[in-house]
Amino acid sequence: MPKQAELELKKNEHVWPINFRLQAEERQVGRWTTYAWTIEDIYLYEEDLTLDMEISNIGSGNYMMPLELFRDERMEYRFNLNSQSPHLFFICAEENEQLKPVLVTAAQGVAARYMDGDYVVLHIEIPLAIQAWMEAFLGRHGELFEFKRKRGGDKKKGRSSGN
């Protein structure tokens, strides 16, 4: 996404820009030192941004990424929202021992596909405001259900078929 488009990204019925900070904590594992990464300081609205999250600081640990909802992922959103603890997933690429966010999604299947690659997937609980926004999206576009086709066609008829 071009820099100019990033700076002008506004919330609408399909996109919600999320400002956040990636925080690394150094941990000692045996003789080795490693980093444990977390998502901190989530800001959902522009007016809530502090001086620490100014646009000029984006890239130095502070990021703005859009959460975009797609109609073909509605079943995954419903599954996530109905879970005991709904999560947002932050997919990050590692560059020189630093994480750089690539994508924010509410679809567990999308996040799982990235876990199979060289990506780090972090997660947080979905804020209530975003849960309500996702419910409104599902209400506007309807629920997507997966139907399995019966195998065997007319060869195997059920009890109600009259045979």
Side-chain angles (χ1 to χ4, degrees), residues 19-156:
N19 294 280
F20 60 96
R21 184 169 51 93
L22 278 174
Q23 179 68 38
E25 182 181 311
E26 201 171 283
R27 293 209 176 138
Q28 195 72 26
V29 180
R31 297 186 294 182
W32 307 102
T33 301
T34 187
Y35 292 102
W37 292 90
T38 58
I39 303 291
E40 303 285 336
D41 299 335
I42 304 290
Y43 296 102
L44 303 179
Y45 304 101
E46 286 182 22
E47 57 270 13
D48 293 340
L49 291 178
T50 64
L51 293 176
D52 294 340
M53 277 300 293
E54 288 294 324
I55 298 297
S56 60
N57 290 335
I58 286 182
S60 60
N62 297 316
Y63 297 93
M64 188 275 298
M65 294 289 298
L67 169 61
E68 188 170 1
L69 300 181
F70 298 97
R71 291 181 69 183
D72 61 342
E73 294 176 352
R74 288 175 288 171
M75 190 170 59
E76 290 196 52
Y77 302 148
R78 173 55 59 211
F79 179 76
N80 192 359
L81 288 170
N82 286 346
S83 71
Q84 194 169 7
S85 178
H87 283 88
L88 281 181
F89 302 95
F90 294 77
I91 291 89
C92 302
E94 190 171 350
E95 296 176 2
N96 302 324
E97 296 187 8
Q98 294 293 317
L99 287 188
K100 181 179 180 194
V102 176
L103 177 69
V104 177
T105 184
Q108 292 174 331
V110 172
R113 286 192 293 274
Y114 280 92
M115 290 177 84
D116 294 339
D118 292 331
Y119 293 91
V120 175
V121 178
L122 304 172
H123 60 87
I124 62 166
E125 284 195 28
I126 300 178
L128 288 176
I130 291 181
Q131 287 184 38
W133 174 73
M134 289 174 65
E135 288 286 355
F137 176 85
L138 292 173
R140 275 190 304 279
H141 298 289
E143 300 285 330
L144 180 67
F145 296 105
E146 193 173 307
F147 294 102
K148 294 184 180 179
R149 293 173 28 153
K150 291 183 181 179
R151 295 183 184 192
D154 290 334
K155 296 176 193 171
K156 300 178 183 176

